[in-house]
Amino acid sequence: MTIALALLAGATSAQEAGGSRDEAYFGDGRVLVAYFSRTGNTQRVAQAIANETGADVFRIEPEVPYPSNYTECTEVALAERDNNARPAIANAVDNMADYDVVFIGCPVWWHTAPMIINTFTESYDFSGKTVVPFCTYASTYRDETLARIAELTPQADHLEGFGSRGTTTGVSQWLSEINAQWTAQQGGTDAIAAPAAPATKGSAVTYRMDGTRTDAGANRRGVYIVKDGQSTRKVVRGK
């Protein structure tokens, strides 16, 4: 099986303070980009998000490093998935309670998020926060991985996720769109423009966490956003 192995390079510390930003995001709330990356792809996207939003950055580091050999790494990742493992994390976010918006990113490993993401999400309380999933992938299972990150943080609000094959193309546009979504959720004035023919009460439309529309009658396991007229709610199915 192909795994989208993201590369990890260069940062000198696991948690880094954000820089300045030209545009206000998320009402000037505190933003964290937390990511796991093995060889650089997910890190590249994480850094682009941080550069744009001025977010702090936290690199999720396994206590036991994954093998550098690709085949050996895939075998370890598969065993962790099949055994529902929780790989230990070597570091911790110093001040998670201070953040309003948390981006969580990872590569796609064996059709889903690496099990170390389970460890991370189970280590903190995301109540009252907004979680934004992102991932990097080689060919497929983008939507499943984004939905899995959302599913692992059911106590949080969520915004549309982002998937990339390791490039940062589209990051700026996506951030502007979800910033507008966040503002709308908070009851702000910069809400997303309403469609020409808005849905009426009783005509619910279901969206995946990446923002794509899906069959409202589908009963697949996952987290979905249901819009019914002016009402929006999050639904967790398959539990």
Side-chain angles (χ1 to χ4, degrees):
M1 292 285 185
T2 299
I3 298 178
L5 290 176
L7 316 180
L8 178 62
T12 57
S13 62
Q15 189 164 346
E16 300 173 354
S20 60
R21 51 187 174 182
D22 296 331
E23 178 182 346
Y25 283 90
F26 311 114
D28 280 329
R30 289 203 64 183
V31 182
L32 177 70
V33 179
Y35 71 95
F36 167 68
S37 182
R38 183 178 176 271
T39 43
N41 291 334
T42 307
Q43 181 187 4
R44 188 178 304 115
V45 177
Q47 196 60 60
I49 296 169
N51 290 344
E52 187 86 14
T53 62
D56 296 343
V57 177
F58 178 78
R59 188 174 72 246
I60 301 169
E61 297 182 334
E63 192 170 277
V64 178
Y66 287 96
S68 57
N69 177 272
Y70 177 85
T71 300
E72 291 177 4
C73 185
T74 65
E75 292 170 351
V76 171
L78 179 60
E80 289 179 346
R81 188 202 68 176
D82 290 349
N83 291 301
N84 197 28
R86 296 295 186 272
I89 296 175
N91 50 343
V93 178
D94 296 330
N95 48 350
M96 180 63 85
D98 294 345
Y99 292 102
D100 305 295
V101 178
V102 181
F103 289 79
I104 302 177
C106 64
V108 175
W109 279 12
W110 291 105
H111 313 159
T112 189
M115 298 308 294
I116 198 168
I117 297 300
N118 293 56
T119 309
F120 178 79
T121 56
E122 291 169 7
S123 299
Y124 303 98
D125 181 7
F126 291 93
S127 300
K129 301 184 187 301
T130 298
V131 167
V132 190
F134 67 99
C135 69
T136 54
Y137 60 100
S139 57
T140 186
Y141 294 98
R142 166 190 181 272
D143 293 353
E144 290 83 352
T145 302
L146 296 175
R148 181 58 178 159
I149 295 171
E151 186 179 20
L152 290 170
T153 52
Q155 66 274 52
D157 291 326
H158 296 92
L159 295 173
E160 176 186 339
F162 179 81
S164 163
R165 286 188 168 89
T167 75
T168 59
T169 301
V171 167
S172 292
Q173 179 179 345
W174 164 64
L175 289 173
S176 293
E177 290 171 354
I178 64 172
N179 187 50
Q181 290 175 9
W182 184 90
T183 302
Q185 287 182 1
Q186 306 305 308
T189 57
D190 295 329
I192 302 171
T200 58
K201 186 71 175 176
S203 58
V205 180
T206 303
Y207 297 88
R208 300 181 182 89
M209 288 306 302
D210 68 340
T212 58
R213 187 168 174 171
T214 186
D215 181 4
N219 195 30
R220 294 180 179 175
R221 184 171 180 267
V223 182
Y224 299 88
I225 298 297
V226 177
K227 294 185 179 180
D228 189 356
Q230 299 302 311
S231 173
T232 301
R233 65 187 186 277
K234 182 173 65 177
V235 175
V236 181
R237 291 177 177 165
K239 285 200 169 184

